[in-house]
Amino acid sequence: MPQEYIVELIDAKVVPEDRRFDEGILVENGLTLPFLVERGWSGPGGYYLEQWSIRRSGREILHSSELRSISVRGPQSVSRYSDRVEAPIQLEEGNYLLAFVIEGRFMGSREFQVTSVEKAEAPA
């Protein structure tokens, strides 16, 4: 990716697989339930290497996706991607960052919440 090319993170979120109207990740006994990482990119058309990670306390990486090639259609549209994470990850309740890297360059992050299933299902 030439340095003058900037791929822009348009939107991103992490949602429980069975509760797509909610945001964040649900945990049960300290392990995540299946969740989706959804995001949209815009920028010069082409193929880019993308990776996302879950972080806490700055740079501490708790989980990373595999590096993969994505195709961005161009600056006039948004190319959308979704990853399903089934394998449980050990996370505590609290605030986290979902960080995105394209071609080895940090391109943005979004905050999200990890909540226990018990708290999420408790009556208001």
Side-chain angles (χ1 to χ4, degrees):
M1 174 173 78
Q3 266 196 324
E4 66 271 11
Y5 290 166
I6 302 291
V7 179
E8 183 180 0
L9 182 63
I10 301 300
D11 57 24
K13 65 181 176 177
V14 60
V15 298
E17 181 183 47
D18 62 347
R19 295 176 167 199
R20 297 194 65 182
F21 52 87
D22 288 340
E23 285 199 43
I25 294 177
L26 295 176
V27 291
E28 187 169 43
N29 299 321
L31 296 174
T32 60
L33 299 179
F35 62 92
L36 302 172
V37 175
E38 300 175 340
R39 67 263 185 215
W41 294 101
S42 183
Y47 291 91
Y48 300 91
L49 292 177
E50 178 214 45
Q51 188 173 32
W52 56 263
S53 61
I54 295 174
R55 301 173 183 218
R56 192 168 199 183
S57 303
R59 296 180 179 237
E60 179 187 3
I61 297 175
L62 303 172
H63 176 79
S64 291
S65 71
E66 292 186 23
L67 189 64
R68 77 177 202 178
S69 179
I70 60 169
S71 173
V72 175
R73 292 186 296 257
Q76 298 298 323
S77 64
V78 177
S79 300
R80 299 204 175 274
Y81 295 92
S82 181
D83 290 340
R84 182 174 188 259
V85 179
E86 284 185 51
I89 303 165
Q90 188 170 356
L91 295 178
E92 299 173 3
E93 289 186 79
N95 297 319
Y96 290 81
L97 280 178
L98 188 59
F100 294 89
V101 172
I102 294 281
E103 298 288 333
R105 293 172 62 192
F106 175 77
M107 291 295 184
S109 64
R110 297 295 186 264
E111 290 186 21
F112 70 94
Q113 185 80 23
V114 170
T115 308
S116 70
V117 173
E118 297 80 25
K119 287 185 181 174
E121 293 177 350

